[in-house]
Amino acid sequence: MIGAVVPAHDEESLIGRALQALIAAAAHPDLQGEEVRIAVVLDACRDRTGDIARALGVQCLAVEARNVGFARAAGAQSLIEQGARWLAFTDADSVVAPCWFSRQLALRSEAVCGVVEVDDWTGFTAEERTRYELGYTDAEGHRHIHGANLGVSTSAYQQAGGFSQLCSREDVDFVERLHALGMRIAWTNTVRVVTSARQDGRAPNGFSAHLERLRSA
């Protein structure tokens, strides 16, 4: 069984699109019918995020941490206890490609770091968009780490100790521990996720904060 973890804090406007993409990816023929279980971790949600997720038939786990590292770890632990052999992580404001799960497994690595692309640059100038694109490597062998596009075998996840309870950069911390253990990591642009360029990000030093720094560069 494959598990997918989606941390969410008040994401009612975006969670439906994210989950529909995951459900479609879970039905990819290359998975040969292997079950995919999707877990949304509702972290201090006060809106309809949970209602939308449950209506789409995915699992929901409620926590009160306001901490993305805690939320990812809680979702991962729940899926491991259900028998997941592979864990895939994305975000509630992101849309995975149809081959997202199948391509991760096809790479036969212990972990997979994919790329993200932005589909809507509303609120940013052309110069700011160009500055971002010039600084981003959308190619094989990149070294970007995104919690919105990360996969790992359950064995490697457990050996590395899982996600730490960090409010941001929990993904970087985790992948650095995988690397230190000598795990095989695929740095690929064939595993893709479209993410938002929203300016009200949930993590204090996450992707939104990176985009905001472009304004002062």
Side-chain angles (χ1 to χ4, degrees):
M1 184 263 285
I2 302 163
V5 179
V6 186
H9 170 68
D10 291 346
E11 296 281 12
E12 64 180 7
S13 65
L14 296 170
I15 192 68
R17 184 177 175 220
L19 293 179
Q20 287 166 356
L22 284 166
I23 292 167
H28 195 283
D30 286 353
L31 293 177
Q32 298 182 337
E34 182 169 2
E35 182 182 8
V36 176
R37 296 186 186 178
I38 302 167
V40 176
V41 184
L42 304 166
D43 191 357
C45 282
R46 301 293 182 264
D47 66 358
R48 295 182 57 252
T49 301
D51 294 336
I52 295 168
R54 283 185 283 267
L56 288 169
V58 306
Q59 300 180 22
C60 290
L61 173 66
V63 300
E64 292 287 335
R66 286 298 286 119
N67 181 295
V68 67
F70 182 95
R72 289 197 202 281
Q77 185 59 38
S78 175
L79 290 166
I80 290 169
E81 290 173 358
Q82 295 174 55
R85 69 180 182 94
W86 183 267
L87 299 167
F89 299 89
T90 189
D91 289 336
D93 67 337
S94 302
V95 176
V96 306
C99 62
W100 193 61
F101 294 113
S102 59
R103 184 59 188 159
Q104 288 183 41
L105 297 178
L107 290 167
R108 300 188 180 280
S109 295
E110 290 165 304
V112 175
C113 291
V115 296
V116 301
E117 58 183 295
V118 175
D119 64 345
D120 184 356
W121 287 96
T122 301
F124 290 84
T125 66
E127 180 183 0
E128 289 162 349
R129 176 177 178 174
T130 298
R131 191 178 299 139
Y132 167 80
E133 291 175 344
L134 288 174
Y136 193 86
T137 303
D138 188 345
E140 290 294 289
H142 70 83
R143 285 298 184 269
H144 302 299
I145 299 172
H146 303 287
N149 196 358
L150 178 63
V152 62
S153 71
T154 293
S155 174
Y157 179 87
Q158 293 175 316
Q159 289 180 61
F163 283 99
S164 297
Q165 295 182 25
L166 301 175
C167 292
S168 60
R169 295 182 64 79
E170 79 295 339
D171 45 3
V172 175
D173 170 77
F174 175 61
V175 173
E176 286 178 345
R177 281 184 276 120
L178 289 172
H179 179 72
L181 289 171
M183 299 293 181
R184 298 187 309 277
I185 302 173
W187 303 87
T188 180
N189 73 336
T190 65
V191 176
R192 306 187 66 83
V193 164
V194 174
T195 196
S196 73
R198 65 181 180 185
Q199 299 169 52
D200 60 337
R202 301 304 189 254
N205 195 30
F207 189 67
S208 294
H210 170 66
L211 294 178
E212 184 60 30
R213 286 192 290 272
L214 296 176
R215 298 181 184 276
S216 57

Short mmCIF file of all heavy atoms in Angstrom, two decimals, residues 127-171:
data_model
loop_
_atom_site.label_atom_id
_atom_site.label_comp_id
_atom_site.label_asym_id
_atom_site.label_seq_id
_atom_site.Cartn_x
_atom_site.Cartn_y
_atom_site.Cartn_z
N GLU A 127 9.23 40.88 -13.72
CA GLU A 127 10.63 40.83 -13.26
C GLU A 127 10.80 39.85 -12.11
O GLU A 127 11.77 39.10 -12.06
CB GLU A 127 11.08 42.23 -12.84
CG GLU A 127 12.52 42.28 -12.34
CD GLU A 127 12.94 43.67 -11.86
OE1 GLU A 127 12.10 44.58 -11.92
OE2 GLU A 127 14.10 43.81 -11.42
N GLU A 128 9.85 39.86 -11.17
CA GLU A 128 9.93 38.95 -10.03
C GLU A 128 9.78 37.50 -10.48
O GLU A 128 10.48 36.60 -9.98
CB GLU A 128 8.85 39.31 -9.01
CG GLU A 128 9.16 40.62 -8.29
CD GLU A 128 7.95 41.22 -7.60
OE1 GLU A 128 6.81 40.75 -7.85
OE2 GLU A 128 8.14 42.15 -6.81
N ARG A 129 8.90 37.25 -11.42
CA ARG A 129 8.76 35.90 -11.95
C ARG A 129 10.04 35.45 -12.64
O ARG A 129 10.50 34.31 -12.43
CB ARG A 129 7.60 35.84 -12.94
CG ARG A 129 7.46 34.47 -13.60
CD ARG A 129 6.27 34.41 -14.53
NE ARG A 129 6.20 33.11 -15.18
CZ ARG A 129 5.20 32.71 -15.96
NH1 ARG A 129 4.18 33.53 -16.20
NH2 ARG A 129 5.22 31.51 -16.52
N THR A 130 10.62 36.32 -13.43
CA THR A 130 11.86 35.98 -14.13
C THR A 130 12.98 35.70 -13.13
O THR A 130 13.76 34.75 -13.31
CB THR A 130 12.29 37.12 -15.07
OG1 THR A 130 11.26 37.29 -16.05
CG2 THR A 130 13.60 36.81 -15.75
N ARG A 131 13.04 36.49 -12.07
CA ARG A 131 14.07 36.29 -11.05
C ARG A 131 13.93 34.91 -10.41
O ARG A 131 14.92 34.21 -10.18
CB ARG A 131 13.96 37.39 -9.99
CG ARG A 131 15.12 37.46 -9.02
CD ARG A 131 14.92 38.60 -8.04
NE ARG A 131 14.86 39.89 -8.74
CZ ARG A 131 14.01 40.87 -8.44
NH1 ARG A 131 13.14 40.71 -7.46
NH2 ARG A 131 14.03 42.00 -9.10
N TYR A 132 12.70 34.52 -10.15
CA TYR A 132 12.47 33.18 -9.58
C TYR A 132 12.91 32.10 -10.57
O TYR A 132 13.63 31.16 -10.19
CB TYR A 132 11.00 32.99 -9.24
CG TYR A 132 10.64 31.55 -8.95
CD1 TYR A 132 10.92 31.00 -7.71
CD2 TYR A 132 10.08 30.74 -9.93
CE1 TYR A 132 10.62 29.67 -7.45
CE2 TYR A 132 9.77 29.41 -9.68
CZ TYR A 132 10.05 28.88 -8.44
OH TYR A 132 9.77 27.56 -8.19
N GLU A 133 12.47 32.20 -11.79
CA GLU A 133 12.73 31.15 -12.78
C GLU A 133 14.22 31.02 -13.09
O GLU A 133 14.72 29.91 -13.33
CB GLU A 133 11.92 31.42 -14.04
CG GLU A 133 10.42 31.21 -13.80
CD GLU A 133 9.56 31.58 -14.98
OE1 GLU A 133 10.08 32.28 -15.89
OE2 GLU A 133 8.39 31.18 -15.01
N LEU A 134 14.94 32.13 -13.06
CA LEU A 134 16.38 32.07 -13.29
C LEU A 134 17.11 31.39 -12.14
O LEU A 134 18.18 30.81 -12.33
CB LEU A 134 16.95 33.48 -13.51
CG LEU A 134 16.60 34.16 -14.83
CD1 LEU A 134 17.10 35.61 -14.85
CD2 LEU A 134 17.20 33.39 -16.00
N GLY A 135 16.51 31.42 -10.96
CA GLY A 135 17.17 30.83 -9.79
C GLY A 135 16.71 29.42 -9.49
O GLY A 135 17.15 28.83 -8.50
N TYR A 136 15.83 28.89 -10.35
CA TYR A 136 15.29 27.56 -10.09
C TYR A 136 15.75 26.59 -11.17
O TYR A 136 15.67 26.89 -12.36
CB TYR A 136 13.76 27.60 -10.08
CG TYR A 136 13.13 26.35 -9.51
CD1 TYR A 136 12.94 26.22 -8.14
CD2 TYR A 136 12.73 25.30 -10.33
CE1 TYR A 136 12.37 25.08 -7.60
CE2 TYR A 136 12.17 24.15 -9.80
CZ TYR A 136 11.99 24.05 -8.44
OH TYR A 136 11.44 22.91 -7.91
N THR A 137 16.21 25.42 -10.74
CA THR A 137 16.70 24.42 -11.68
C THR A 137 15.63 23.36 -11.91
O THR A 137 15.43 22.47 -11.08
CB THR A 137 17.98 23.75 -11.15
OG1 THR A 137 18.96 24.75 -10.90
CG2 THR A 137 18.53 22.75 -12.16
N ASP A 138 14.94 23.47 -13.03
CA ASP A 138 13.93 22.48 -13.39
C ASP A 138 14.58 21.48 -14.34
O ASP A 138 14.39 21.50 -15.55
CB ASP A 138 12.74 23.17 -14.06
CG ASP A 138 11.57 22.22 -14.28
OD1 ASP A 138 11.77 20.99 -14.18
OD2 ASP A 138 10.45 22.70 -14.56
N ALA A 139 15.37 20.57 -13.75
CA ALA A 139 16.14 19.61 -14.56
C ALA A 139 16.53 18.43 -13.68
O ALA A 139 16.47 18.50 -12.44
CB ALA A 139 17.39 20.28 -15.11
N GLU A 140 16.91 17.34 -14.34
CA GLU A 140 17.43 16.21 -13.59
C GLU A 140 18.68 16.64 -12.82
O GLU A 140 19.49 17.43 -13.31
CB GLU A 140 17.78 15.07 -14.54
CG GLU A 140 16.57 14.40 -15.18
CD GLU A 140 15.72 13.67 -14.15
OE1 GLU A 140 16.15 12.64 -13.63
OE2 GLU A 140 14.61 14.17 -13.88
N GLY A 141 18.83 16.09 -11.62
CA GLY A 141 20.00 16.40 -10.82
C GLY A 141 19.89 17.69 -10.02
O GLY A 141 20.85 18.12 -9.40
N HIS A 142 18.72 18.32 -10.03
CA HIS A 142 18.53 19.53 -9.22
C HIS A 142 18.77 19.19 -7.75
O HIS A 142 18.84 18.01 -7.38
CB HIS A 142 17.10 20.07 -9.42
CG HIS A 142 16.06 19.17 -8.80
ND1 HIS A 142 15.72 19.22 -7.47
CD2 HIS A 142 15.30 18.19 -9.34
CE1 HIS A 142 14.80 18.31 -7.21
NE2 HIS A 142 14.54 17.66 -8.33
N ARG A 143 18.82 20.20 -6.91
CA ARG A 143 18.97 19.95 -5.47
C ARG A 143 17.91 20.69 -4.67
O ARG A 143 18.13 21.09 -3.53
CB ARG A 143 20.38 20.32 -4.99
CG ARG A 143 21.46 19.30 -5.39
CD ARG A 143 21.20 17.95 -4.77
NE ARG A 143 22.23 16.97 -5.05
CZ ARG A 143 22.23 16.14 -6.09
NH1 ARG A 143 21.24 16.18 -6.97
NH2 ARG A 143 23.21 15.27 -6.26
N HIS A 144 16.73 20.85 -5.25
CA HIS A 144 15.63 21.49 -4.54
C HIS A 144 14.93 20.47 -3.64
O HIS A 144 14.83 19.29 -3.99
CB HIS A 144 14.62 22.08 -5.53
CG HIS A 144 15.20 23.07 -6.47
ND1 HIS A 144 15.79 24.25 -6.05
CD2 HIS A 144 15.31 23.06 -7.83
CE1 HIS A 144 16.21 24.93 -7.10
NE2 HIS A 144 15.94 24.23 -8.19
N ILE A 145 14.46 20.95 -2.51
CA ILE A 145 13.71 20.10 -1.58
C ILE A 145 12.39 20.77 -1.29
O ILE A 145 12.34 21.91 -0.83
CB ILE A 145 14.49 19.88 -0.27
CG1 ILE A 145 15.83 19.19 -0.55
CG2 ILE A 145 13.66 19.07 0.72
CD1 ILE A 145 16.75 19.13 0.66
N HIS A 146 11.30 20.06 -1.58
CA HIS A 146 9.96 20.60 -1.38
C HIS A 146 9.11 19.60 -0.61
O HIS A 146 8.95 18.45 -1.06
CB HIS A 146 9.27 20.88 -2.71
CG HIS A 146 10.01 21.82 -3.61
ND1 HIS A 146 10.08 23.18 -3.37
CD2 HIS A 146 10.70 21.60 -4.76
CE1 HIS A 146 10.77 23.76 -4.34
NE2 HIS A 146 11.16 22.82 -5.19
N GLY A 147 8.54 20.03 0.50
CA GLY A 147 7.59 19.17 1.19
C GLY A 147 6.36 18.89 0.33
O GLY A 147 5.65 17.91 0.55
N ALA A 148 6.13 19.73 -0.67
CA ALA A 148 5.00 19.55 -1.58
C ALA A 148 5.26 18.47 -2.62
O ALA A 148 4.33 18.09 -3.35
CB ALA A 148 4.69 20.87 -2.29
N ASN A 149 6.49 17.96 -2.70
CA ASN A 149 6.82 16.96 -3.71
C ASN A 149 7.96 16.09 -3.23
O ASN A 149 9.11 16.24 -3.66
CB ASN A 149 7.18 17.65 -5.03
CG ASN A 149 7.16 16.68 -6.20
OD1 ASN A 149 6.91 15.49 -6.05
ND2 ASN A 149 7.44 17.19 -7.38
N LEU A 150 7.61 15.17 -2.36
CA LEU A 150 8.62 14.34 -1.71
C LEU A 150 8.06 12.94 -1.50
O LEU A 150 6.92 12.77 -1.10
CB LEU A 150 8.99 14.96 -0.36
CG LEU A 150 9.99 14.25 0.53
CD1 LEU A 150 11.35 14.16 -0.15
CD2 LEU A 150 10.11 14.97 1.87
N GLY A 151 8.88 11.94 -1.79
CA GLY A 151 8.49 10.56 -1.55
C GLY A 151 9.62 9.80 -0.87
O GLY A 151 10.79 10.13 -1.07
N VAL A 152 9.27 8.78 -0.09
CA VAL A 152 10.29 8.03 0.63
C VAL A 152 9.74 6.66 1.00
O VAL A 152 8.54 6.51 1.28
CB VAL A 152 10.73 8.80 1.90
CG1 VAL A 152 9.57 8.98 2.88
CG2 VAL A 152 11.90 8.12 2.59
N SER A 153 10.60 5.65 0.96
CA SER A 153 10.17 4.34 1.43
C SER A 153 9.94 4.39 2.93
O SER A 153 10.58 5.17 3.65
CB SER A 153 11.22 3.28 1.10
OG SER A 153 12.37 3.44 1.93
N THR A 154 9.03 3.57 3.40
CA THR A 154 8.76 3.55 4.84
C THR A 154 10.01 3.16 5.62
O THR A 154 10.29 3.72 6.69
CB THR A 154 7.62 2.57 5.14
OG1 THR A 154 6.42 3.09 4.56
CG2 THR A 154 7.41 2.39 6.63
N SER A 155 10.78 2.23 5.09
CA SER A 155 12.01 1.82 5.76
C SER A 155 12.98 2.98 5.93
O SER A 155 13.51 3.22 7.02
CB SER A 155 12.67 0.69 4.98
OG SER A 155 13.93 0.36 5.53
N ALA A 156 13.21 3.73 4.84
CA ALA A 156 14.13 4.87 4.91
C ALA A 156 13.58 5.96 5.83
O ALA A 156 14.33 6.59 6.58
CB ALA A 156 14.37 5.43 3.51
N TYR A 157 12.27 6.17 5.76
CA TYR A 157 11.65 7.17 6.63
C TYR A 157 11.91 6.86 8.10
O TYR A 157 12.31 7.73 8.89
CB TYR A 157 10.14 7.22 6.36
CG TYR A 157 9.39 8.21 7.22
CD1 TYR A 157 9.27 9.53 6.83
CD2 TYR A 157 8.81 7.81 8.43
CE1 TYR A 157 8.59 10.44 7.62
CE2 TYR A 157 8.13 8.72 9.23
CZ TYR A 157 8.02 10.03 8.81
OH TYR A 157 7.35 10.95 9.62
N GLN A 158 11.71 5.62 8.46
CA GLN A 158 11.89 5.24 9.86
C GLN A 158 13.36 5.28 10.27
O GLN A 158 13.69 5.70 11.38
CB GLN A 158 11.30 3.86 10.09
CG GLN A 158 9.78 3.83 9.96
CD GLN A 158 9.20 2.44 10.08
OE1 GLN A 158 9.72 1.48 9.51
NE2 GLN A 158 8.11 2.30 10.82
N GLN A 159 14.25 4.85 9.38
CA GLN A 159 15.68 4.90 9.70
C GLN A 159 16.15 6.33 9.94
O GLN A 159 17.01 6.58 10.77
CB GLN A 159 16.49 4.26 8.58
CG GLN A 159 16.36 2.76 8.48
CD GLN A 159 17.21 2.20 7.36
OE1 GLN A 159 18.44 2.34 7.34
NE2 GLN A 159 16.55 1.57 6.39
N ALA A 160 15.58 7.28 9.20
CA ALA A 160 15.99 8.68 9.33
C ALA A 160 15.30 9.38 10.49
O ALA A 160 15.64 10.52 10.81
CB ALA A 160 15.70 9.43 8.03
N GLY A 161 14.34 8.72 11.10
CA GLY A 161 13.68 9.31 12.26
C GLY A 161 12.46 10.14 11.95
O GLY A 161 11.91 10.80 12.85
N GLY A 162 12.02 10.13 10.69
CA GLY A 162 10.81 10.87 10.33
C GLY A 162 10.99 12.37 10.39
O GLY A 162 12.10 12.90 10.53
N PHE A 163 9.89 13.08 10.27
CA PHE A 163 9.92 14.55 10.29
C PHE A 163 10.05 15.06 11.72
O PHE A 163 9.41 14.55 12.64
CB PHE A 163 8.65 15.13 9.68
CG PHE A 163 8.62 15.08 8.18
CD1 PHE A 163 7.94 14.08 7.52
CD2 PHE A 163 9.31 16.02 7.44
CE1 PHE A 163 7.92 14.03 6.14
CE2 PHE A 163 9.31 15.97 6.05
CZ PHE A 163 8.61 14.98 5.40
N SER A 164 10.86 16.08 11.89
CA SER A 164 10.98 16.75 13.18
C SER A 164 9.84 17.77 13.33
O SER A 164 9.26 18.22 12.34
CB SER A 164 12.32 17.48 13.28
OG SER A 164 13.39 16.55 13.23
N GLN A 165 9.55 18.15 14.55
CA GLN A 165 8.47 19.09 14.82
C GLN A 165 8.95 20.52 14.57
O GLN A 165 9.10 21.32 15.49
CB GLN A 165 7.95 18.90 16.24
CG GLN A 165 7.30 17.55 16.46
CD GLN A 165 6.74 17.38 17.85
OE1 GLN A 165 6.39 18.34 18.52
NE2 GLN A 165 6.63 16.14 18.30
N LEU A 166 9.17 20.83 13.31
CA LEU A 166 9.62 22.16 12.90
C LEU A 166 8.50 22.90 12.19
O LEU A 166 7.75 22.29 11.41
CB LEU A 166 10.83 22.05 11.97
CG LEU A 166 12.06 21.33 12.54
CD1 LEU A 166 13.13 21.18 11.46
CD2 LEU A 166 12.61 22.11 13.73
N CYS A 167 8.39 24.20 12.41
CA CYS A 167 7.34 25.00 11.78
C CYS A 167 7.64 25.31 10.32
O CYS A 167 6.75 25.71 9.57
CB CYS A 167 7.15 26.31 12.54
SG CYS A 167 6.45 26.07 14.20
N SER A 168 8.89 25.15 9.92
CA SER A 168 9.27 25.32 8.52
C SER A 168 10.61 24.61 8.31
O SER A 168 11.30 24.27 9.26
CB SER A 168 9.38 26.80 8.14
OG SER A 168 10.35 27.45 8.93
N ARG A 169 10.92 24.36 7.04
CA ARG A 169 12.15 23.66 6.65
C ARG A 169 12.25 22.26 7.25
O ARG A 169 13.32 21.69 7.36
CB ARG A 169 13.39 24.49 6.98
CG ARG A 169 13.48 25.78 6.19
CD ARG A 169 14.73 26.56 6.48
NE ARG A 169 15.94 25.86 6.08
CZ ARG A 169 16.40 25.78 4.83
NH1 ARG A 169 15.74 26.38 3.85
NH2 ARG A 169 17.51 25.13 4.55
N GLU A 170 11.10 21.71 7.61
CA GLU A 170 11.07 20.34 8.09
C GLU A 170 11.45 19.37 6.98
O GLU A 170 12.03 18.32 7.24
CB GLU A 170 9.68 20.01 8.64
CG GLU A 170 8.59 19.68 7.62
CD GLU A 170 8.21 20.84 6.70
OE1 GLU A 170 8.47 22.00 7.06
OE2 GLU A 170 7.64 20.57 5.63
N ASP A 171 11.15 19.75 5.74
CA ASP A 171 11.50 18.92 4.60
C ASP A 171 13.00 18.89 4.37
O ASP A 171 13.59 17.84 4.13
CB ASP A 171 10.76 19.40 3.34
CG ASP A 171 10.81 20.92 3.16
OD1 ASP A 171 11.46 21.63 3.97
OD2 ASP A 171 10.19 21.41 2.20
#
